[in-house]
Amino acid sequence: MQSWTVPAPATVPAQSDRLRLMDTSTGELRHPGTEGAASLYVCGITPYDATHLGHANTYVSFDLLQRYWRACGYPVSYVQNVTDVDDPLLERAEATGVDWRELARDQTELFRTDMVALNVLAPDHYVGATETVDWVVETVSRLVQNGTAYTVPGQGEDPDGDVYFDIGAAQSATDWTLGSISGMSPEQMAEVFPERGGDPERPGKRSPLDPLLWRAARSGEPSWDGGPLGEGRPGWHIECSAIARRLLPVPFSVQGGGSDLKFPHHEFSAAHATAVDGQPLARTFVHAGMVALHGEKMSKSKGNLVLVSNLRREGADPAAIRTALLSHHYRSDWEWTEDSLPEASARLSGWRHALEREEPGDAQALVSALHGTLSDDLNAPAALVDLDRWAESTAARTGSPTAAHQELRVSAVVDALLGIRL
Ligand code: 5CA
Ligand code: ZN
């Protein structure tokens, strides 16, 4: 699938890698396991509605990580998927009378435009579920062969041929145990599983939390030739396992997404991959907080959304949107309010004014300060305070600007490390 392009950030003097990131699976701050090269998989959108600020926040968060690694001089391999066939997309297409392919195509295109506006560096591979069905078939077939997947007989409206992951068998055969990625208790898992696409009541399953791997063809639903699995379409978690295993070295450095993906999605994506490969999918699991509106998580299903494209249409400066997002630590849950954008715009214009008073050495000092601050679990809000301080420090300067001919400028540093275009 076509990715997008944003101008490459300026090269800053290579920084040392002192990064500590919060790993969900251990609950500890740790180095994400980059040995000379960094690899990242971030779960992409399900394209049935336009990019909202929650999505934007997640992708801007992981963009910071990519920019950090680049500042350290690492090559970065970055993969992102598009869940371009799944129940919510098919349901929305049906409800609005639009072809599901067209809906996915249009919303994915809008997402690309939003990412370009927000200066989010593109993944190296941007891949749709519909482009990778063969990879899923291969992975699920191997799970069936090694006894960690099974077929549930048809009953009622459900035909024969749905394939499920066997949690019990996978726990016996591998080092993965249920909860080892998400860190959730059995009670928490039981509560969120049905809210996030799970079907605990499905008759014939060996355990209520066993997740779907392959959904046998139903009339009126898209399906593909699954070879030994029969006609059908991929389950959700296996999509990301299959794509990540195919395109990244396993285990890769960071598996990322919003905190709503800890369970079941990242728990089972990792479990599926471990059951095939006998080793962990990723070294570190990193989750961004949830953005809320009117007291509730912003979500397509509830419709309490602020769309990036609407803000842009109303004339918002994308750099101000990005600044508003970065004013919150990536792990915190926070609420978008009507003050968010004006506050960010005021800060941004303070920084822009300060550029007129930039002096030699400012950029060099800021690289070190910002990089040091970001090393502590990508502390963007504190990095913005570093920028505020620098801008304040220029206020007392008199005389004309003297940095015009410097090779490294503050604007290039802020773009390279924070992705904010001054
Ligand atoms: N396609 C799957 C992942 S494979 C999916 O979850 N799609 S999504 O469109 O629902 O979400 C895309 C990304 O945005 C996910 O990483 C999700 O965790 C994140 N996200 C969704 N809502 C919010 C929110 N309110 N705040 C922050 N991040 C969010
Ligand atoms: Zn995913």
Side-chain angles (χ1 to χ4, degrees):
M1 183 173 280
Q2 194 195 332
S3 186
W4 62 89
T5 34
V6 297
T11 308
V12 295
Q15 302 295 299
S16 60
D17 176 10
R18 287 172 282 142
L19 185 59
R20 290 285 174 278
L21 273 181
M22 178 53 74
D23 173 31
T24 304
S25 68
T26 55
E28 285 170 359
L29 284 173
R30 53 196 293 266
H31 186 265
T34 28
E35 271 121 41
S39 39
L40 173 66
Y41 185 97
V42 179
C43 283
I45 54 163
T46 305
Y48 68 90
D49 210 337
T51 326
H52 60 65
L53 287 168
H55 303 133
N57 190 59
T58 290
Y59 300 109
V60 165
S61 298
F62 289 96
D63 189 54
L64 271 190
L65 177 57
Q66 151 131 243
R67 286 170 189 271
Y68 184 96
W69 279 332
R70 282 171 178 263
C72 297
Y74 292 143
V76 182
S77 305
Y78 178 17
V79 177
Q80 190 180 128
N81 67 308
V82 183
T83 308
D84 59 355
V85 60
D86 200 7
D87 296 345
L89 171 73
L90 299 174
E91 284 158 18
R92 178 65 62 90
E94 171 93 33
T96 52
V98 181
D99 183 273
W100 63 275
R101 282 160 290 224
E102 198 182 316
L103 178 61
R105 210 177 313 120
D106 289 352
Q107 297 309 318
T108 306
E109 181 50 26
L110 187 55
F111 176 75
R112 288 189 194 96
T113 321
D114 288 333
M115 292 298 104
V116 171
L118 292 173
N119 201 22
V120 173
L121 297 171
D124 304 293
H125 297 277
Y126 191 49
V127 276
T130 56
E131 299 172 317
T132 55
V133 175
D134 288 352
W135 304 353
V136 169
V137 170
E138 183 256 348
T139 315
V140 175
S141 302
R142 285 178 60 185
L143 294 173
V144 172
Q145 277 159 20
N146 74 18
T148 55
Y150 60 97
T151 304
V152 169
Q155 197 178 332
E157 291 183 357
D158 294 316
D160 278 336
D162 289 343
V163 182
Y164 282 84
F165 184 65
D166 188 330
I167 294 175
Q171 292 192 119
S172 309
T174 69
D175 288 340
W176 170 79
T177 51
L178 185 63
S180 61
I181 306 297
S182 62
M184 284 192 187
S185 67
E187 294 73 29
Q188 289 172 313
M189 290 190 265
E191 190 184 328
V192 297
F193 186 67
E195 294 165 7
R196 297 180 190 162
D199 53 356
E201 312 280 348
R202 171 74 197 269
K205 287 199 334 183
R206 293 181 186 164
S207 158
L209 296 185
D210 285 352
L212 179 73
L213 292 166
W214 183 255
R215 180 172 161 90
R218 266 83 167 164
S219 74
E221 288 187 16
S223 62
W224 286 260
D225 175 11
L229 306 175
E231 277 279 313
R233 63 178 162 100
W236 175 27
H237 321 306
I238 194 70
E239 168 192 342
C240 289
S241 299
I243 294 173
R245 287 178 62 249
R246 184 62 75 110
L247 296 174
L248 290 173
V250 171
F252 53 90
S253 315
V254 171
Q255 161 76 296
S259 59
D260 57 342
L261 299 187
K262 288 179 189 174
F263 186 86
H265 188 53
H266 287 171
E267 185 75 52
F268 290 130
S269 303
H272 299 339
T274 304
V276 180
D277 299 320
Q279 58 174 335
L281 179 64
R283 295 178 197 275
T284 320
F285 293 82
V286 178
H287 292 100
M290 289 291 113
V291 181
L293 183 72
H294 306 142
E296 268 196 293
K297 175 194 158 188
M298 221 178 257
S299 83
K300 289 178 283 204
S301 51
K302 291 195 205 102
N304 59 334
L305 308 175
V306 176
L307 302 183
V308 174
S309 46
N310 281 350
L311 290 179
R312 292 199 287 127
R313 204 170 309 125
E314 290 158 12
D317 177 349
I321 303 174
R322 186 162 172 128
T323 300
L325 301 177
L326 292 178
S327 321
H328 301 269
H329 190 273
Y330 81 87
R331 279 201 285 125
S332 55
D333 296 330
W334 56 279
E335 176 144 349
W336 180 266
T337 70
E338 56 187 25
D339 297 330
S340 301
L341 202 52
E343 279 170 15
S345 300
R347 255 175 132 178
L348 190 58
S349 65
W351 303 330
R352 284 178 174 154
H353 278 302
L355 290 181
E356 295 161 16
R357 301 185 295 265
E358 181 179 345
E359 286 182 356
D362 283 0
Q364 190 65 49
L366 257 182
V367 177
S368 309
L370 296 178
H371 186 79
T373 302
L374 291 168
S375 297
D376 174 19
D377 201 19
L378 300 173
N379 194 344
L384 300 193
V385 172
D386 290 340
L387 262 182
D388 290 337
R389 287 214 187 95
W390 166 74
E392 279 159 26
S393 75
T394 67
R397 291 176 184 170
T398 51
S400 40
T402 54
H405 301 295
Q406 296 291 303
E407 238 170 70
L408 188 64
R409 300 293 304 271
V410 164
S411 55
V413 168
V414 173
D415 180 31
L417 292 180
L418 296 169
I420 297 172
R421 289 201 191 104
L422 294 182

